[in-house]
Amino acid sequence: MKQGRKETIATRIISTTFVVVALAVFKPFGLDAWQWQAYVHLAALGVIGFSICMMTDIILKYVIKMPMSFKKGAEYIIRRNLWFQFINTPLVALGICLYRHFVLSNRQGLQIPSNELSVINFLETLVIIAFCSFAIGLYWRFKFRSKYLTMELEEIRELNEELKKTQQTLPQPLPVREGSDYTRGDNEAEGLSTPLPHREGLGESLLLTGTTNESVTLQISHLLYIEAVGNYVKVSHLRDGQVHTDMLRATMKQMEETLHDYPMIVRCHRAFLVNLGQVEQIVSHSGSTQLLINHCHESLPVSRSNMAQVKAAIKRV
């Protein structure tokens, strides 16, 4: 049996045991009237709860397409747990209600109306199971998050090592000459729509234009990042060894299409394009990932939806 499967089964056994113990302490559903037989019914309810939990895992894996995986991050685990509770809680409540109706509603020939199947009884059971699920969820959320954060720190360390190796293989930028087309050319470079003469790789020089006459000409290696600011984009880049920012009236989609052929430039967030060649370090703080940029020491956020793209780019560049 795979380790992940063993962990899932162990998790469900612990969760079910917690619910059974809670029911044994508070004895709802008229369990106190059953004396020693109540423990037999509690064991049966535990089996019902465990079976439904395993069925919910199958639904999540094959229907909702959310298999159990620590590698997908804490947010994924939390989101999956919420889905699990959303599906599992009413199913368990329904299973217990049916057991109450067919087994607990009749004791030694005496009818117990409070256990007969009804909307009220279902809602009562749902509230009790929902409370237990909430308490269990808090425990597992803390446990899984702690485990994930440990894994995330190790992954960030490995990513930083790979990033450094990748940066060492990138070609060096061309020297920048004052007054040449490698510096900004709002008027001189106007009308250019293709990269300027360049050497292959990061030595390329590119003209970025917007919907107006303004433009920015720079070497790809000198680009730090591009940020969306309303109807404009802020281009942060190096010029004469200093960090400069230029504003262009353009969209991030336009910038992304222009820079599509440069694998070292990726979308790390809906508002940011980053040059991985200028990333000083990848850091993780409070469950969020950020990129520290060379020269300006700014930190750019990496969204969960873009994290896989950043990882792939580091390995691909």
Side-chain angles (χ1 to χ4, degrees):
M1 187 182 296
K2 294 182 178 180
Q3 183 63 28
R5 189 64 174 171
K6 290 181 179 179
E7 289 186 359
T8 300
I9 293 175
T11 298
R12 302 310 170 212
I13 291 175
I14 293 173
S15 299
T16 303
T17 302
F18 177 89
V19 175
V20 170
V21 169
L23 295 179
V25 171
F26 296 102
K27 288 188 172 59
F29 318 139
L31 285 172
D32 52 345
W34 287 86
Q35 300 176 359
W36 64 269
Q37 293 173 307
Y39 296 102
V40 176
H41 294 305
L42 286 170
L45 292 175
V47 172
I48 292 172
F50 176 79
S51 302
I52 293 176
C53 284
M54 298 307 295
M55 183 179 68
T56 303
D57 275 321
I58 293 173
I59 293 173
L60 284 173
K61 183 177 181 178
Y62 295 105
V63 180
I64 310 298
K65 305 297 183 183
M66 295 184 73
M68 190 63 175
S69 174
F70 292 106
K71 295 181 180 180
K72 294 187 177 183
E75 295 300 324
Y76 174 84
I77 292 173
I78 292 173
R79 190 167 67 252
R80 186 186 186 279
N81 285 344
L82 289 175
W83 268 101
F84 180 89
Q85 291 183 11
F86 179 76
I87 297 171
N88 189 71
T89 302
L91 288 179
V92 171
L94 179 60
I96 291 177
C97 274
L98 292 174
Y99 188 85
R100 291 174 63 184
H101 177 76
F102 290 108
V103 180
L104 297 181
S105 63
N106 191 323
R107 182 175 183 272
Q108 296 178 351
L110 296 177
Q111 291 296 118
I112 305 177
S114 61
N115 279 329
E116 292 180 356
L117 187 62
S118 66
V119 174
I120 297 299
N121 281 350
F122 173 75
L123 293 177
E124 175 193 33
T125 308
L126 184 64
V127 169
I128 293 173
I129 300 303
F131 175 79
C132 292
S133 297
F134 176 76
I136 296 168
L138 289 179
Y139 168 75
W140 289 122
R141 181 176 299 186
F142 174 79
K143 182 178 176 63
F144 287 149
R145 189 175 181 86
S146 299
K147 182 174 182 177
Y148 167 70
L149 290 176
T150 301
M151 296 173 60
E152 185 181 60
L153 289 175
E154 178 62 22
E155 184 181 27
I156 293 297
R157 185 189 65 79
E158 293 176 356
L159 272 178
N160 276 308
E161 290 180 356
E162 195 153 358
L163 178 64
K164 295 302 178 186
K165 292 178 182 178
T166 301
Q167 290 174 340
Q168 291 172 2
T169 64
L170 296 176
Q172 296 299 313
L174 292 170
V176 178
R177 304 186 302 275
E178 280 295 328
S180 72
D181 283 339
Y182 292 116
T183 59
R184 182 174 176 176
D186 291 348
N187 297 320
E188 300 91 340
E190 186 176 346
L192 290 176
S193 59
T194 58
L196 299 176
H198 60 273
R199 120 170 53 143
E200 194 67 27
L202 283 183
E204 295 188 8
S205 184
L206 183 72
L207 177 70
L208 298 177
T209 60
T211 56
T212 62
N213 292 331
E214 296 163 337
S215 63
V216 177
T217 307
L218 46 76
Q219 283 191 44
I220 295 300
S221 62
H222 290 164
L223 176 64
L224 301 179
Y225 65 89
I226 299 176
E227 178 183 2
V229 184
N231 294 325
Y232 290 80
V233 294
K234 181 175 76 173
V235 181
S236 181
H237 61 102
L238 294 177
R239 190 193 307 158
D240 300 328
Q242 300 295 321
V243 178
H244 288 265
T245 59
D246 293 288
M247 301 296 291
L248 291 176
R249 189 175 181 84
T251 65
M252 287 295 284
K253 184 178 180 181
Q254 289 173 316
M255 294 293 101
E256 197 168 17
E257 290 174 352
T258 301
L259 298 167
H260 179 266
D261 293 331
Y262 305 98
M264 78 291 295
I265 300 174
V266 297
R267 191 80 168 259
C268 65
H269 187 272
R270 63 182 180 82
F272 291 96
L273 281 167
V274 64
N275 180 5
L276 292 175
Q278 292 288 0
V279 173
E280 179 180 349
Q281 188 180 14
I282 305 172
V283 298
S284 178
H285 180 68
S286 299
S288 65
T289 305
Q290 297 179 333
L291 306 176
L292 298 183
I293 307 301
N294 281 323
H295 306 290
C296 61
H297 301 295
E298 297 224 13
S299 59
L300 307 185
V302 181
S303 63
R304 293 289 178 186
S305 58
N306 292 104
M307 189 62 191
Q309 183 180 348
V310 173
K311 291 179 183 177
I314 291 175
K315 298 176 181 179
R316 182 178 67 242
V317 173

